Structure formats: C-alpha cells, structure tokens
Amino acid sequence: MLDERTDFVTVPASFAICSGGWQQVVEQMTLHRRALRSARLAVNGQNHDSEQLVIYNDYMNTLFGNPTADKELPLIEGAGKLGVDVFCIDAGWYDSADGGWWDMVGEWKPSTNRFGNLGLKGIASAIRKAGMGLGLWLEPEVVGVRSPIANELPDSAFFCRHGERVADDGRYHLDFRSPDARAHMDDTMERIIAEFQPKFFKFDYNTVPGVGTEIDAGYLGEGLLGHSRAYVRWLDDLKHRHPELVIENCGSGAMRADYAMLQRLDLQSTSDQCDPAIYAAIAAGASMSILPEQQGNWGYAQQEMDDETAVFTLAAGIAGRLYLSGFVNRMDERRLRLVRGAIEAHRQVLRNQSGQVPFWPLGLPVFSGDWLASGLLPYADNNETGYMTIWHRGGANSVVVEVPQGATLRPFFPKPGLIDKSHGAVDWHVEPLDGTHVRLTVSDNRRSARVYAIDMPDSTK
C-alpha cells in the first residue's frame, strides 16, 4: 500500500489533445507511436527496413500448427513463386509428441519426427533456396507442464501463488525477473539463431497468468509488473544483440498490442480470426491503436474461393501489412496472378506508408456494419497518393464516402484483368458528387471489396 514513505513509478501512458475531431486525435497518436518506435529502434541499433517485408505464415486457415515436410515443401515452392520475403513456420515445428505441442513447449528444439530425413535444417534450407528468409513461431514466456525444462528450472523461475507454480491450461509462466528464466531463454535464442539463421520470429502469448506472482514481491501485482518490465528489457537486449532480427508481436491474436511491446517489436497480428467477413471489421478499425506499418492483417485467399471472396480477404492487408497465408500450392496461375497483384499493390503502398496517417471515410467502423472503410492519407506531402479500402458485406448497394477536397478515386486493387464476372466478380461504380464526396455503387449484393488510390488535386499518378 502506498503512503508518504513509498515511491511508485507508474507505467508510461500517452494521450493527445488537439483541435478537430476524433480522427485528428488518432492522427496525432499515430505520429506519437511512430516517434516512440523510431526512438527505440535507434537505441537498439536498428532501422526501419522490416517495414518493407512481405511475410507468408503457414498457420491461418492452412496448417493450423501441424507442419510436416510433406505439407511444408509444396507451400514453400508456392510462396517462393509469389516473391514474398519471409516464410514463417508457425506452431508445431518443435513437436516430437504427435500433437503434444501445447503442454510440451519450452525446450524449443526441432521436432525429431515431423520433417523426415530433411529435419528442420533441411526445411530451412529449402526456404532459403526459394528466395525467402526463415521465420519461426515461439512463446518465450511459457513452459509446458510436460516439458523437460519444467523440471530443470527452479520454482523461482516461474509465477507462483500460495507456494505453488501457477499453471494455466497445462502451462507454466516464466518470471523474467529470474536470472534462471532469462538465462534459459537467452541460451535458447542464441542456439536457434546459430543453428537455423532465422530472419523472423513470431512471438506469441497464449497463457493467462492471472494477477501476478508472490515471489520477491510485497503483493501479487508488484510481481506481475516487475516481470513485465523485465521482459521488455529482455526484448531490448535481444534486439541489441541481433538488430537484424524481425520479430512479430502476435500476443494471442493482438491481445497484448500495446506500445510497451510495439515500440520494440516490428509487426502485430491484428487477430486470429478465420472468417474474412469478420476480419474486415477488425482490419477497418485496427489503425485506431496500431501503426499501419505494423498492422499485420491476414490475407488467406484460397483456390476454391470465387474472385470476390479472394479479393475480400486480400484487401484487408493492402494498406496495412499484408500477412499472407492460404494453400498457395493449390492455386492455378490465374489465382496466383491475383495474389501477386495484391503483393505488388501492397509494396507500392509500403514505399510511403510511414509518412501517412489513417482516416475513416465512413466514420468509425461499426463491427456489424454492411459497409466498412479505412485508409491512409499523406500527412506532410499533400501531393502524395493516399489509399482507401472499402468492404461491402450486404445491405444497400451504394454508399457515399468523404474524401479530401478535390481528390479523386482511382481503382488500385484489383487491377483490371485480375478478376472477371465468369468467376464471380462484381462491378463497382464511382460517381463524384461534389468536391469532398463520392458515391460507390456495387452491381449486386454479394460480398466484395476494393482498394482505391486517392489522388490529390496536384498529385502525379
């Protein structure tokens, strides 16, 4: 309990006061988050190069944590043909217990039975030969109750309450104030980096440790806060030792997407949502709290989708960070062209994204809304091109959106020829109404989406 003899430093908090409405407040918070991130990158000896990477991950609506050599090699070949930069093997690469990877985590040694004679090293080699960097999924703060590490580390390395380790769904939670916990994860990271040369890590966090730990703490929350502060210091140390590493903050599908984490880490999964119709609402609102250049929105197009469904899911990542998944090995050349078109459009956005701020041409997205829209506008250079993503999920066939004075909309994704009516394409029509409003109309009520370039009055197309 605090009294006049006790000092306590709170966690940092940010707020914005500015003229205008809520969109201007989000604009200022976006600039502030960029400043936090840039300052931390400089301290850790890093640059902003990670913001240009396109990443494929084998998890979402694809392998769902069940990697094997037979499954990975075709996906690697397919992703390589798309020209992505990183291929991430998600959960399961360390599982030698045929599905026991949930409560066996913590040792982080490659599976002895999933990758055949190739082993994980052979899979990593195949990824590099296909022109991509290796990515691996990891949960640094977790040790499964059946993991050998659970017996090797002392109780003081874990969250404890009432004299016992805290176990959540078959997992213990490491306490990074502990030298033993930190040494275990330092040794683990150095071993993995030396052996497999990964370019990318996806750091997850799927355990609920509760109110804290009683170890070396006057009260439980003191232990929790102490761990949290020790963990971000550990991240800083890791990044300082390996400034070339790119690390995603998955955090159980964006459940720990704060800027204590995101000023240090490079990418944030915005959700683990499998339904593209629901994901649209998540992607439309994500820039309220996450920088566009860190906003990893899944795009999991599949061969069996009609054209509009494939566009619908890919559109979510164009103006944020396109985080690809899906069975790219099963796609015909026509569907691959559409995915390549999404990547091409996304790379164009990435060139100037870090100088742009989010906006919402239909106002704050409504989770159940029929129409959803979000986009990017240049902050300092009014001659730059902006972007708007708009999804139609049903209801009225037309909507009026607000755009900057004198701006015009130009189709950006999909480009003409990538989709057609014989494969379920919908016609979209753009009708300027006045200097700041445009009506968009779709030809029928099926689910569809588009990304438009927003050309400012003096911009060069």
Side-chain angles (χ1 to χ4, degrees):
M1 181 175 293
L2 293 178
D3 57 32
E4 64 273 11
R5 298 180 301 277
T6 306
D7 291 329
F8 176 74
V9 178
T10 69
V11 297
S14 301
F15 61 91
I17 299 173
C18 65
S19 60
W22 65 269
Q23 298 214 39
Q24 285 68 46
V25 172
V26 177
E27 177 182 285
Q28 292 304 308
M29 286 302 297
T30 298
L31 299 177
H32 176 64
R33 290 169 184 139
R34 281 197 179 120
L36 287 175
R37 174 163 158 72
S38 291
R40 182 62 59 177
L41 288 175
V43 167
N44 289 337
Q46 295 177 272
N47 54 40
H48 289 263
D49 288 352
S50 69
E51 295 166 9
Q52 301 300 309
L53 298 177
V54 177
I55 297 156
Y56 176 91
N57 181 297
D58 67 15
Y59 185 83
M60 189 59 65
N61 291 7
T62 310
L63 299 189
F64 281 126
N66 188 25
T68 65
D70 290 345
K71 295 174 182 177
E72 293 287 11
L73 292 175
L75 288 174
I76 291 166
E77 182 181 0
K81 291 178 180 177
L82 293 172
V84 302
D85 302 302
V86 171
F87 186 102
C88 182
I89 304 173
D90 209 278
W93 60 267
Y94 43 82
D95 172 37
S96 301
D98 294 325
W101 59 261
W102 181 258
D103 59 3
M104 287 287 289
V105 295
E107 196 172 23
W108 307 114
K109 292 182 178 178
S111 172
T112 58
N113 60 356
R114 285 184 170 270
F115 304 116
N117 294 331
L118 283 173
L120 184 60
K121 271 193 175 179
I123 299 296
S125 177
I127 289 169
R128 282 188 280 271
K129 286 179 181 177
M132 300 173 289
L134 169 67
L136 292 172
W137 179 96
L138 211 109
E139 279 190 87
E141 294 159 274
V142 171
V143 172
V145 297
R146 295 197 299 131
S147 171
I149 300 300
N151 295 323
E152 293 177 15
L153 293 176
D155 285 348
S156 59
F158 299 94
F159 277 33
C160 291
R161 292 197 290 272
H162 309 295
E164 296 183 356
R165 295 182 186 182
V166 176
D168 173 59
D169 197 17
R171 294 153 144 235
Y172 299 127
H173 195 288
L174 288 171
D175 184 344
F176 271 64
R177 295 174 304 160
S178 160
D180 293 309
R182 291 195 306 274
H184 158 62
M185 279 313 302
D186 280 338
D187 290 346
T188 295
M189 295 304 297
E190 296 306 316
R191 170 177 51 80
I192 293 173
I193 291 168
E195 188 171 1
F196 300 105
Q197 296 89 50
K199 184 173 186 175
F200 175 86
F201 280 101
K202 176 179 178 178
F203 278 4
D204 215 336
Y205 185 75
N206 294 309
T207 296
V208 182
V211 293
T213 176
E214 65 194 15
I215 301 291
D216 295 328
Y219 50 94
L220 297 176
E222 181 183 4
L224 177 61
L225 179 59
H227 159 75
S228 298
R229 287 171 165 166
Y231 181 63
V232 295
R233 287 196 298 271
W234 179 80
L235 289 175
D236 283 337
D237 290 343
L238 175 63
K239 283 282 204 170
H240 191 74
R241 294 197 309 271
H242 300 282
E244 74 285 355
L245 278 184
V246 178
I247 303 178
E248 172 197 341
N249 179 44
C250 176
S252 192
M255 292 179 67
R256 191 165 67 171
D258 59 77
Y259 271 78
M261 301 293 290
L262 285 176
Q263 65 180 273
R264 294 168 165 89
L265 303 183
D266 304 288
L267 190 73
Q268 174 67 63
S269 302
T270 55
S271 179
D272 283 343
Q273 176 55 242
C274 300
D275 185 339
I278 300 174
Y279 210 113
I282 296 167
S287 292
M288 290 284 292
S289 58
I290 302 170
L291 286 173
E293 57 266 34
Q294 292 182 286
Q295 189 184 124
N297 295 320
W298 289 100
Y300 33 66
Q302 307 286 4
Q303 174 63 32
E304 63 271 19
M305 291 176 174
D306 64 25
D307 280 2
E308 288 296 354
T309 304
V311 168
F312 197 94
T313 179
L314 292 169
I318 300 296
R321 292 295 296 276
L322 181 57
Y323 199 19
L324 284 166
S325 196
F327 288 101
V328 293
N329 56 307
R330 301 176 184 175
M331 294 180 179
D332 61 20
E333 184 54 35
R334 185 177 177 279
R335 180 49 44 87
L336 287 171
R337 280 199 304 272
L338 179 63
V339 179
R340 286 193 201 101
I343 294 171
E344 179 184 349
H346 180 52
R347 289 196 189 278
Q348 190 169 334
V349 172
L350 293 180
R351 292 173 195 161
N352 299 309
Q353 189 182 53
S354 61
Q356 299 187 322
V357 292
F359 84 112
W360 288 269
L362 291 174
L364 191 64
V366 177
F367 192 78
S368 59
D370 293 328
W371 289 88
L372 301 163
S374 64
L376 296 172
L377 290 176
Y379 177 68
D381 182 0
N382 289 329
N383 291 330
E384 249 181 50
T385 298
Y387 303 95
M388 178 182 72
T389 306
I390 185 159
W391 296 265
H392 179 232
R393 301 194 294 184
N397 279 28
S398 68
V399 68
V400 175
V401 299
E402 188 172 1
V403 296
Q405 177 69 44
T408 58
L409 298 186
R410 171 170 48 90
F412 185 69
F413 175 77
K415 291 287 197 305
L418 290 179
I419 62 174
D420 61 62
K421 288 185 178 180
S422 66
H423 291 83
V426 171
D427 287 332
W428 282 62
H429 179 66
V430 178
E431 178 190 0
L433 299 179
D434 56 38
T436 58
H437 293 88
V438 174
R439 178 182 286 116
L440 297 167
T441 304
V442 294
S443 61
D444 65 45
N445 232 13
R446 284 178 292 128
R447 189 183 300 156
S448 60
R450 293 292 183 272
V451 182
Y452 290 95
I454 303 174
D455 291 323
M456 302 303 175
D458 298 321
S459 66
T460 301
K461 297 182 179 61

